mmCIF file of all heavy atoms in Angstrom:
data_model
loop_
_atom_site.group_PDB
_atom_site.id
_atom_site.type_symbol
_atom_site.label_atom_id
_atom_site.label_comp_id
_atom_site.label_asym_id
_atom_site.label_seq_id
_atom_site.Cartn_x
_atom_site.Cartn_y
_atom_site.Cartn_z
ATOM 1 N N MET A 1 0.824 -1.207 0.000
ATOM 2 C CA MET A 1 0.000 0.000 0.000
ATOM 3 C C MET A 1 0.860 1.260 0.000
ATOM 4 O O MET A 1 0.523 2.262 -0.637
ATOM 5 C CB MET A 1 -0.913 -0.016 1.222
ATOM 6 C CG MET A 1 -2.049 0.980 1.189
ATOM 7 S SD MET A 1 -3.008 0.912 2.727
ATOM 8 C CE MET A 1 -3.402 -0.840 2.803
ATOM 9 N N CYS A 2 1.972 1.211 0.716
ATOM 10 C CA CYS A 2 2.863 2.373 0.826
ATOM 11 C C CYS A 2 3.932 2.406 -0.259
ATOM 12 O O CYS A 2 4.786 3.308 -0.261
ATOM 13 C CB CYS A 2 3.521 2.390 2.208
ATOM 14 S SG CYS A 2 2.351 2.529 3.576
ATOM 15 N N GLY A 3 3.935 1.415 -1.157
ATOM 16 C CA GLY A 3 4.909 1.391 -2.239
ATOM 17 C C GLY A 3 6.329 1.172 -1.777
ATOM 18 O O GLY A 3 7.281 1.718 -2.354
ATOM 19 N N LEU A 4 6.514 0.355 -0.736
ATOM 20 C CA LEU A 4 7.836 0.125 -0.169
ATOM 21 C C LEU A 4 8.571 -0.979 -0.926
ATOM 22 O O LEU A 4 7.997 -1.664 -1.759
ATOM 23 C CB LEU A 4 7.704 -0.213 1.321
ATOM 24 C CG LEU A 4 6.919 0.806 2.149
ATOM 25 C CD1 LEU A 4 6.835 0.371 3.605
ATOM 26 C CD2 LEU A 4 7.532 2.203 2.036
ATOM 27 N N ALA A 5 9.857 -1.144 -0.622
ATOM 28 C CA ALA A 5 10.714 -2.069 -1.379
ATOM 29 C C ALA A 5 11.105 -3.269 -0.533
ATOM 30 O O ALA A 5 11.768 -3.106 0.495
ATOM 31 C CB ALA A 5 11.966 -1.348 -1.874
ATOM 32 N N HIS A 6 10.711 -4.460 -0.981
ATOM 33 C CA HIS A 6 11.046 -5.705 -0.295
ATOM 34 C C HIS A 6 11.933 -6.540 -1.202
ATOM 35 O O HIS A 6 11.589 -6.801 -2.362
ATOM 36 C CB HIS A 6 9.769 -6.470 0.069
ATOM 37 C CG HIS A 6 10.019 -7.714 0.863
ATOM 38 N ND1 HIS A 6 10.287 -8.927 0.262
ATOM 39 C CD2 HIS A 6 10.067 -7.932 2.199
ATOM 40 C CE1 HIS A 6 10.465 -9.831 1.197
ATOM 41 N NE2 HIS A 6 10.343 -9.258 2.377
ATOM 42 N N ILE A 7 13.064 -7.010 -0.692
ATOM 43 C CA ILE A 7 14.091 -7.624 -1.516
ATOM 44 C C ILE A 7 13.615 -8.868 -2.264
ATOM 45 O O ILE A 7 14.005 -9.100 -3.409
ATOM 46 C CB ILE A 7 15.352 -7.952 -0.661
ATOM 47 C CG1 ILE A 7 16.519 -8.413 -1.530
ATOM 48 C CG2 ILE A 7 15.034 -8.986 0.404
ATOM 49 C CD1 ILE A 7 17.081 -7.346 -2.401
ATOM 50 N N VAL A 8 12.737 -9.676 -1.652
ATOM 51 C CA VAL A 8 12.313 -10.920 -2.303
ATOM 52 C C VAL A 8 11.086 -10.698 -3.173
ATOM 53 O O VAL A 8 11.090 -11.049 -4.362
ATOM 54 C CB VAL A 8 12.052 -12.028 -1.262
ATOM 55 C CG1 VAL A 8 11.709 -13.341 -1.966
ATOM 56 C CG2 VAL A 8 13.266 -12.224 -0.355
ATOM 57 N N ALA A 9 10.043 -10.116 -2.615
ATOM 58 C CA ALA A 9 8.841 -9.854 -3.417
ATOM 59 C C ALA A 9 9.170 -8.946 -4.593
ATOM 60 O O ALA A 9 8.706 -9.174 -5.720
ATOM 61 C CB ALA A 9 7.764 -9.226 -2.535
ATOM 62 N N GLY A 10 9.988 -7.933 -4.354
ATOM 63 C CA GLY A 10 10.355 -7.012 -5.428
ATOM 64 C C GLY A 10 11.226 -7.661 -6.490
ATOM 65 O O GLY A 10 11.197 -7.246 -7.659
ATOM 66 N N SER A 11 12.007 -8.671 -6.109
ATOM 67 C CA SER A 11 12.837 -9.358 -7.099
ATOM 68 C C SER A 11 11.991 -10.126 -8.106
ATOM 69 O O SER A 11 12.370 -10.249 -9.276
ATOM 70 C CB SER A 11 13.820 -10.303 -6.401
ATOM 71 O OG SER A 11 14.867 -9.582 -5.789
ATOM 72 N N VAL A 12 10.849 -10.655 -7.657
ATOM 73 C CA VAL A 12 9.930 -11.294 -8.611
ATOM 74 C C VAL A 12 9.512 -10.275 -9.665
ATOM 75 O O VAL A 12 9.547 -10.542 -10.871
ATOM 76 C CB VAL A 12 8.689 -11.860 -7.893
ATOM 77 C CG1 VAL A 12 7.733 -12.483 -8.915
ATOM 78 C CG2 VAL A 12 9.078 -12.890 -6.851
ATOM 79 N N ASP A 13 9.124 -9.080 -9.198
ATOM 80 C CA ASP A 13 8.692 -8.026 -10.116
ATOM 81 C C ASP A 13 9.819 -7.617 -11.061
ATOM 82 O O ASP A 13 9.627 -7.526 -12.280
ATOM 83 C CB ASP A 13 8.237 -6.797 -9.330
ATOM 84 C CG ASP A 13 7.067 -7.085 -8.410
ATOM 85 O OD1 ASP A 13 6.530 -8.202 -8.459
ATOM 86 O OD2 ASP A 13 6.689 -6.187 -7.634
ATOM 87 N N ALA A 14 10.992 -7.332 -10.492
ATOM 88 C CA ALA A 14 12.104 -6.850 -11.310
ATOM 89 C C ALA A 14 12.569 -7.911 -12.302
ATOM 90 O O ALA A 14 12.858 -7.595 -13.473
ATOM 91 C CB ALA A 14 13.257 -6.415 -10.412
ATOM 92 N N PHE A 15 12.633 -9.157 -11.875
ATOM 93 C CA PHE A 15 13.040 -10.226 -12.792
ATOM 94 C C PHE A 15 12.000 -10.449 -13.882
ATOM 95 O O PHE A 15 12.335 -10.902 -14.986
ATOM 96 C CB PHE A 15 13.300 -11.528 -12.032
ATOM 97 C CG PHE A 15 14.670 -11.616 -11.417
ATOM 98 C CD1 PHE A 15 14.830 -12.076 -10.118
ATOM 99 C CD2 PHE A 15 15.800 -11.270 -12.137
ATOM 100 C CE1 PHE A 15 16.088 -12.168 -9.544
ATOM 101 C CE2 PHE A 15 17.070 -11.356 -11.581
ATOM 102 C CZ PHE A 15 17.207 -11.800 -10.279
ATOM 103 N N TYR A 16 10.751 -10.143 -13.595
ATOM 104 C CA TYR A 16 9.733 -10.235 -14.647
ATOM 105 C C TYR A 16 10.053 -9.229 -15.753
ATOM 106 O O TYR A 16 9.957 -9.558 -16.950
ATOM 107 C CB TYR A 16 8.337 -9.972 -14.081
ATOM 108 C CG TYR A 16 7.238 -10.186 -15.096
ATOM 109 C CD1 TYR A 16 6.736 -11.465 -15.346
ATOM 110 C CD2 TYR A 16 6.730 -9.121 -15.842
ATOM 111 C CE1 TYR A 16 5.750 -11.673 -16.297
ATOM 112 C CE2 TYR A 16 5.745 -9.320 -16.798
ATOM 113 C CZ TYR A 16 5.256 -10.590 -17.013
ATOM 114 O OH TYR A 16 4.280 -10.802 -17.973
ATOM 115 N N LEU A 17 10.457 -8.016 -15.368
ATOM 116 C CA LEU A 17 10.838 -7.011 -16.361
ATOM 117 C C LEU A 17 12.089 -7.439 -17.124
ATOM 118 O O LEU A 17 12.209 -7.185 -18.327
ATOM 119 C CB LEU A 17 11.071 -5.664 -15.678
ATOM 120 C CG LEU A 17 9.848 -5.027 -14.999
ATOM 121 C CD1 LEU A 17 10.244 -3.714 -14.322
ATOM 122 C CD2 LEU A 17 8.725 -4.796 -15.993
ATOM 123 N N VAL A 18 13.017 -8.087 -16.437
ATOM 124 C CA VAL A 18 14.213 -8.616 -17.116
ATOM 125 C C VAL A 18 13.801 -9.676 -18.126
ATOM 126 O O VAL A 18 14.260 -9.694 -19.278
ATOM 127 C CB VAL A 18 15.208 -9.209 -16.102
ATOM 128 C CG1 VAL A 18 16.349 -9.936 -16.817
ATOM 129 C CG2 VAL A 18 15.771 -8.122 -15.187
ATOM 130 N N ALA A 19 12.900 -10.563 -17.724
ATOM 131 C CA ALA A 19 12.493 -11.674 -18.574
ATOM 132 C C ALA A 19 11.770 -11.211 -19.837
ATOM 133 O O ALA A 19 11.885 -11.847 -20.890
ATOM 134 C CB ALA A 19 11.604 -12.638 -17.785
ATOM 135 N N ILE A 20 11.027 -10.104 -19.745
ATOM 136 C CA ILE A 20 10.303 -9.625 -20.937
ATOM 137 C C ILE A 20 11.120 -8.568 -21.692
ATOM 138 O O ILE A 20 10.633 -7.972 -22.661
ATOM 139 C CB ILE A 20 8.913 -9.060 -20.573
ATOM 140 C CG1 ILE A 20 9.026 -7.851 -19.648
ATOM 141 C CG2 ILE A 20 8.045 -10.157 -19.959
ATOM 142 C CD1 ILE A 20 7.681 -7.202 -19.327
ATOM 143 N N GLY A 21 12.351 -8.334 -21.252
ATOM 144 C CA GLY A 21 13.265 -7.473 -21.990
ATOM 145 C C GLY A 21 13.108 -5.988 -21.758
ATOM 146 O O GLY A 21 13.660 -5.181 -22.515
ATOM 147 N N GLN A 22 12.413 -5.581 -20.697
ATOM 148 C CA GLN A 22 12.212 -4.153 -20.453
ATOM 149 C C GLN A 22 13.346 -3.525 -19.636
ATOM 150 O O GLN A 22 13.536 -2.310 -19.682
ATOM 151 C CB GLN A 22 10.862 -3.919 -19.775
ATOM 152 C CG GLN A 22 9.679 -4.248 -20.677
ATOM 153 C CD GLN A 22 8.363 -3.710 -20.151
ATOM 154 O OE1 GLN A 22 8.319 -2.965 -19.172
ATOM 155 N NE2 GLN A 22 7.272 -4.086 -20.809
ATOM 156 N N ILE A 23 14.081 -4.332 -18.871
ATOM 157 C CA ILE A 23 15.285 -3.859 -18.193
ATOM 158 C C ILE A 23 16.346 -4.948 -18.305
ATOM 159 O O ILE A 23 16.027 -6.102 -18.629
ATOM 160 C CB ILE A 23 15.047 -3.504 -16.703
ATOM 161 C CG1 ILE A 23 14.676 -4.754 -15.896
ATOM 162 C CG2 ILE A 23 13.980 -2.426 -16.566
ATOM 163 C CD1 ILE A 23 14.630 -4.522 -14.380
ATOM 164 N N ASP A 24 17.598 -4.594 -18.013
ATOM 165 C CA ASP A 24 18.660 -5.607 -18.008
ATOM 166 C C ASP A 24 19.040 -5.962 -16.570
ATOM 167 O O ASP A 24 18.575 -5.343 -15.612
ATOM 168 C CB ASP A 24 19.879 -5.147 -18.817
ATOM 169 C CG ASP A 24 20.431 -3.809 -18.327
ATOM 170 O OD1 ASP A 24 20.196 -3.442 -17.144
ATOM 171 O OD2 ASP A 24 21.097 -3.118 -19.119
ATOM 172 N N VAL A 25 19.900 -6.958 -16.436
ATOM 173 C CA VAL A 25 20.284 -7.426 -15.112
ATOM 174 C C VAL A 25 21.032 -6.343 -14.334
ATOM 175 O O VAL A 25 20.874 -6.214 -13.119
ATOM 176 C CB VAL A 25 21.149 -8.710 -15.223
ATOM 177 C CG1 VAL A 25 21.673 -9.127 -13.853
ATOM 178 C CG2 VAL A 25 20.333 -9.848 -15.834
ATOM 179 N N ALA A 26 21.835 -5.545 -15.034
ATOM 180 C CA ALA A 26 22.573 -4.468 -14.362
ATOM 181 C C ALA A 26 21.613 -3.469 -13.729
ATOM 182 O O ALA A 26 21.850 -2.977 -12.610
ATOM 183 C CB ALA A 26 23.500 -3.764 -15.350
ATOM 184 N N THR A 27 20.530 -3.164 -14.418
ATOM 185 C CA THR A 27 19.520 -2.251 -13.864
ATOM 186 C C THR A 27 18.867 -2.866 -12.636
ATOM 187 O O THR A 27 18.609 -2.172 -11.640
ATOM 188 C CB THR A 27 18.462 -1.917 -14.916
ATOM 189 O OG1 THR A 27 19.094 -1.311 -16.051
ATOM 190 C CG2 THR A 27 17.404 -0.970 -14.361
ATOM 191 N N TYR A 28 18.608 -4.163 -12.708
ATOM 192 C CA TYR A 28 18.049 -4.852 -11.540
ATOM 193 C C TYR A 28 18.995 -4.736 -10.343
ATOM 194 O O TYR A 28 18.562 -4.421 -9.228
ATOM 195 C CB TYR A 28 17.799 -6.329 -11.861
ATOM 196 C CG TYR A 28 17.676 -7.209 -10.641
ATOM 197 C CD1 TYR A 28 16.539 -7.164 -9.836
ATOM 198 C CD2 TYR A 28 18.706 -8.077 -10.269
ATOM 199 C CE1 TYR A 28 16.429 -7.952 -8.693
ATOM 200 C CE2 TYR A 28 18.608 -8.874 -9.142
ATOM 201 C CZ TYR A 28 17.463 -8.808 -8.357
ATOM 202 O OH TYR A 28 17.353 -9.586 -7.226
ATOM 203 N N LEU A 29 20.280 -4.963 -10.585
ATOM 204 C CA LEU A 29 21.246 -4.969 -9.485
ATOM 205 C C LEU A 29 21.434 -3.586 -8.879
ATOM 206 O O LEU A 29 21.387 -3.414 -7.656
ATOM 207 C CB LEU A 29 22.591 -5.515 -9.972
ATOM 208 C CG LEU A 29 22.625 -7.010 -10.314
ATOM 209 C CD1 LEU A 29 23.963 -7.377 -10.940
ATOM 210 C CD2 LEU A 29 22.368 -7.857 -9.078
ATOM 211 N N THR A 30 21.657 -2.584 -9.731
ATOM 212 C CA THR A 30 21.961 -1.245 -9.222
ATOM 213 C C THR A 30 20.715 -0.434 -8.874
ATOM 214 O O THR A 30 20.737 0.407 -7.981
ATOM 215 C CB THR A 30 22.807 -0.461 -10.242
ATOM 216 O OG1 THR A 30 22.063 -0.346 -11.475
ATOM 217 C CG2 THR A 30 24.122 -1.166 -10.513
ATOM 218 N N GLY A 31 19.624 -0.699 -9.579
ATOM 219 C CA GLY A 31 18.421 0.088 -9.366
ATOM 220 C C GLY A 31 17.472 -0.493 -8.330
ATOM 221 O O GLY A 31 16.630 0.232 -7.788
ATOM 222 N N PHE A 32 17.628 -1.801 -8.053
ATOM 223 C CA PHE A 32 16.734 -2.415 -7.071
ATOM 224 C C PHE A 32 17.474 -3.238 -6.025
ATOM 225 O O PHE A 32 17.358 -2.982 -4.828
ATOM 226 C CB PHE A 32 15.697 -3.304 -7.765
ATOM 227 C CG PHE A 32 14.850 -4.048 -6.778
ATOM 228 C CD1 PHE A 32 13.823 -3.420 -6.093
ATOM 229 C CD2 PHE A 32 15.097 -5.393 -6.492
ATOM 230 C CE1 PHE A 32 13.057 -4.095 -5.148
ATOM 231 C CE2 PHE A 32 14.339 -6.084 -5.548
ATOM 232 C CZ PHE A 32 13.321 -5.424 -4.873
ATOM 233 N N PHE A 33 18.227 -4.243 -6.442
ATOM 234 C CA PHE A 33 18.772 -5.213 -5.498
ATOM 235 C C PHE A 33 19.659 -4.574 -4.437
ATOM 236 O O PHE A 33 19.444 -4.779 -3.225
ATOM 237 C CB PHE A 33 19.552 -6.300 -6.246
ATOM 238 C CG PHE A 33 20.139 -7.349 -5.343
ATOM 239 C CD1 PHE A 33 19.371 -8.416 -4.910
ATOM 240 C CD2 PHE A 33 21.461 -7.270 -4.909
ATOM 241 C CE1 PHE A 33 19.900 -9.382 -4.059
ATOM 242 C CE2 PHE A 33 21.998 -8.224 -4.064
ATOM 243 C CZ PHE A 33 21.207 -9.285 -3.639
ATOM 244 N N VAL A 34 20.664 -3.823 -4.838
ATOM 245 C CA VAL A 34 21.615 -3.260 -3.875
ATOM 246 C C VAL A 34 20.939 -2.281 -2.915
ATOM 247 O O VAL A 34 21.075 -2.420 -1.685
ATOM 248 C CB VAL A 34 22.811 -2.609 -4.594
ATOM 249 C CG1 VAL A 34 23.698 -1.871 -3.597
ATOM 250 C CG2 VAL A 34 23.624 -3.664 -5.338
ATOM 251 N N PRO A 35 20.203 -1.270 -3.404
ATOM 252 C CA PRO A 35 19.586 -0.344 -2.442
ATOM 253 C C PRO A 35 18.536 -1.008 -1.549
ATOM 254 O O PRO A 35 18.405 -0.653 -0.375
ATOM 255 C CB PRO A 35 18.947 0.733 -3.336
ATOM 256 C CG PRO A 35 18.791 0.095 -4.670
ATOM 257 C CD PRO A 35 19.939 -0.854 -4.799
ATOM 258 N N THR A 36 17.812 -1.971 -2.096
ATOM 259 C CA THR A 36 16.782 -2.639 -1.298
ATOM 260 C C THR A 36 17.405 -3.535 -0.240
ATOM 261 O O THR A 36 16.931 -3.584 0.907
ATOM 262 C CB THR A 36 15.843 -3.456 -2.199
ATOM 263 O OG1 THR A 36 15.275 -2.591 -3.187
ATOM 264 C CG2 THR A 36 14.714 -4.084 -1.387
ATOM 265 N N LEU A 37 18.478 -4.222 -0.596
ATOM 266 C CA LEU A 37 19.172 -5.058 0.380
ATOM 267 C C LEU A 37 19.701 -4.218 1.528
ATOM 268 O O LEU A 37 19.532 -4.566 2.708
ATOM 269 C CB LEU A 37 20.319 -5.816 -0.305
ATOM 270 C CG LEU A 37 21.153 -6.740 0.599
ATOM 271 C CD1 LEU A 37 20.292 -7.834 1.197
ATOM 272 C CD2 LEU A 37 22.325 -7.325 -0.184
ATOM 273 N N ILE A 38 20.334 -3.092 1.194
ATOM 274 C CA ILE A 38 20.852 -2.200 2.241
ATOM 275 C C ILE A 38 19.719 -1.751 3.159
ATOM 276 O O ILE A 38 19.812 -1.828 4.392
ATOM 277 C CB ILE A 38 21.545 -0.976 1.613
ATOM 278 C CG1 ILE A 38 22.813 -1.399 0.865
ATOM 279 C CG2 ILE A 38 21.887 0.066 2.688
ATOM 280 C CD1 ILE A 38 23.432 -0.283 0.019
ATOM 281 N N GLY A 39 18.646 -1.271 2.569
ATOM 282 C CA GLY A 39 17.547 -0.740 3.355
ATOM 283 C C GLY A 39 16.844 -1.780 4.207
ATOM 284 O O GLY A 39 16.546 -1.534 5.389
ATOM 285 N N ASN A 40 16.581 -2.952 3.642
ATOM 286 C CA ASN A 40 15.916 -4.004 4.409
ATOM 287 C C ASN A 40 16.747 -4.438 5.607
ATOM 288 O O ASN A 40 16.217 -4.644 6.705
ATOM 289 C CB ASN A 40 15.634 -5.219 3.520
ATOM 290 C CG ASN A 40 14.458 -5.066 2.586
ATOM 291 O OD1 ASN A 40 14.201 -5.916 1.744
ATOM 292 N ND2 ASN A 40 13.707 -3.972 2.714
ATOM 293 N N VAL A 41 18.063 -4.567 5.414
ATOM 294 C CA VAL A 41 18.936 -4.974 6.517
ATOM 295 C C VAL A 41 18.986 -3.890 7.590
ATOM 296 O O VAL A 41 18.854 -4.181 8.786
ATOM 297 C CB VAL A 41 20.354 -5.288 5.995
ATOM 298 C CG1 VAL A 41 21.320 -5.472 7.165
ATOM 299 C CG2 VAL A 41 20.329 -6.547 5.134
#
């Protein structure tokens, strides 16, 4: 509801975009995985 970032649930979403060719893996890593991992921890 608040649009927050969760490392596992959000990875499903981000990898879906990777799978359909809308983003690349580097974008997933730098734009989602790294900042979300830092914040969740």
Side-chain angles (χ1 to χ4, degrees):
M1 194 183 306
C2 299
L4 306 179
H6 184 273
I7 188 68
V8 184
S11 286
V12 178
D13 299 354
F15 277 135
Y16 186 83
L17 296 178
V18 172
I20 62 176
Q22 293 194 7
I23 65 171
D24 56 23
V25 174
T27 301
Y28 160 73
L29 291 173
T30 60
F32 175 77
F33 180 83
V34 173
T36 303
L37 180 61
I38 293 170
N40 283 174
V41 170

